[in-house]
Amino acid sequence: MPSSPGLPTQTRSNPHRRPRLSAHRIRESLTSRFAKCLCSILLTLVLVAGIIVFILWLSLRPHRPRFHLVAFAAPGVASPAGLSGSPISFNVTDRNPNAKIGIFYDAMFGSVYYKDRVVGSGPVMFPFYQPPKNTTLITGQLSGAAIEAAGTLSAQLSADAAAGRVELRLELNSTIRFKVKTWDTRHHRLHAECDLVVGSDGSMLPESKNIKCPIYF
């Protein structure tokens, strides 16, 4: 029978459409869950790796060596010729505080300064390796440099020596690298400064004995 004019035509639903929609939604849900699970696993792995790296860094990070001035002598400070050609000797202890890290040193060079003027210099030690938790004695023997006899610096040195108090600065320079088992770090330029005071005879005063020398990289 033909439909009456003005009445809406009833739409019949497709019985095969609903199952296809349900299967599509299931696939989308499974894909979303898989992606979330994969992201969670990756984030967990990154977090665990970060924690492991941080722990290794804390346990293996290298600490700087520690230098202490033990002895120093510059007998030429009271001489009319000053320190020119006069021996300058010193002993410095070098402590490696690391429990599992050794230190390779290149050749070490030393200089002595008076009022920022070099008054002695020379090589100190050949290259060497320092094991973990080790204290190495650095023994230096430098040669004093010439100072202009009629100059202001010579007059100041003579006056300080007569007063029994000459302020000097010992500087040690080398290039080092840290060794962790079979792995070596990059090279670091090491610079140590030991401020000290000697008396009229050039011997180090008690106030300077065993002072800590700052280390700079």
Side-chain angles (χ1 to χ4, degrees), residues 171-206:
E171 295 189 4
L172 298 174
N173 294 280
S174 181
T175 301
I176 67 172
R177 67 184 189 276
F178 297 96
K179 178 178 178 61
V180 184
K181 294 185 178 180
T182 58
W183 171 64
D184 293 350
T185 66
R186 64 183 179 87
H187 289 78
H188 300 273
R189 185 67 181 171
L190 179 143
H191 179 82
E193 292 187 0
C194 308
D195 293 317
L196 64 127
V197 184
V198 299
S200 299
D201 60 353
S203 298
M204 185 171 66
L205 297 183

Side-chain angles (χ1 to χ4, degrees), residues 19-216:
R20 284 201 298 268
L21 289 174
S22 299
H24 179 69
R25 290 174 181 173
I26 291 173
R27 284 196 299 271
E28 284 186 344
S29 178
L30 290 175
T31 302
S32 177
R33 290 180 182 179
F34 176 76
K36 290 180 180 179
C37 181
L38 183 60
C39 288
S40 299
I41 293 174
L42 291 176
L43 288 175
T44 302
L45 291 176
V46 170
L47 179 61
V48 172
I51 293 174
I52 293 174
V53 171
F54 180 69
I55 293 174
L56 289 175
W57 179 78
L58 287 178
S59 61
L60 296 177
R61 63 173 177 168
H63 295 281
R64 296 183 180 189
R66 300 169 185 166
F67 283 37
H68 288 83
L69 182 64
V70 178
F72 186 95
V77 293
S79 170
L83 292 169
S84 177
S86 176
I88 301 174
S89 59
F90 62 88
N91 290 334
V92 174
T93 58
D94 172 11
R95 176 66 177 174
N96 177 8
N98 297 287
K100 299 180 181 180
I101 301 176
I103 304 176
F104 282 107
Y105 284 80
D106 288 350
M108 186 175 292
F109 189 85
S111 301
V112 177
Y113 290 81
Y114 173 69
K115 296 189 181 298
D116 294 326
R117 168 77 179 272
V118 177
V119 294
S121 61
V124 176
M125 289 187 73
F126 292 108
F128 66 96
Y129 171 72
Q130 187 178 37
K133 290 292 183 181
N134 171 268
T135 299
T136 300
L137 181 63
I138 299 173
T139 301
Q141 188 80 22
L142 308 178
S143 178
I147 300 176
E148 186 180 351
T152 303
L153 193 68
S154 178
Q156 290 177 333
L157 179 61
S158 299
D160 288 346
R165 187 179 180 85
V166 181
E167 297 182 359
L168 301 172
R169 184 175 74 253
L170 170 65
E171 295 189 4
L172 298 174
N173 294 280
S174 181
T175 301
I176 67 172
R177 67 184 189 276
F178 297 96
K179 178 178 178 61
V180 184
K181 294 185 178 180
T182 58
W183 171 64
D184 293 350
T185 66
R186 64 183 179 87
H187 289 78
H188 300 273
R189 185 67 181 171
L190 179 143
H191 179 82
E193 292 187 0
C194 308
D195 293 317
L196 64 127
V197 184
V198 299
S200 299
D201 60 353
S203 298
M204 185 171 66
L205 297 183
E207 65 188 78
S208 299
K209 188 174 179 60
N210 292 322
I211 62 169
K212 185 176 181 180
C213 305
I215 300 290
Y216 304 97

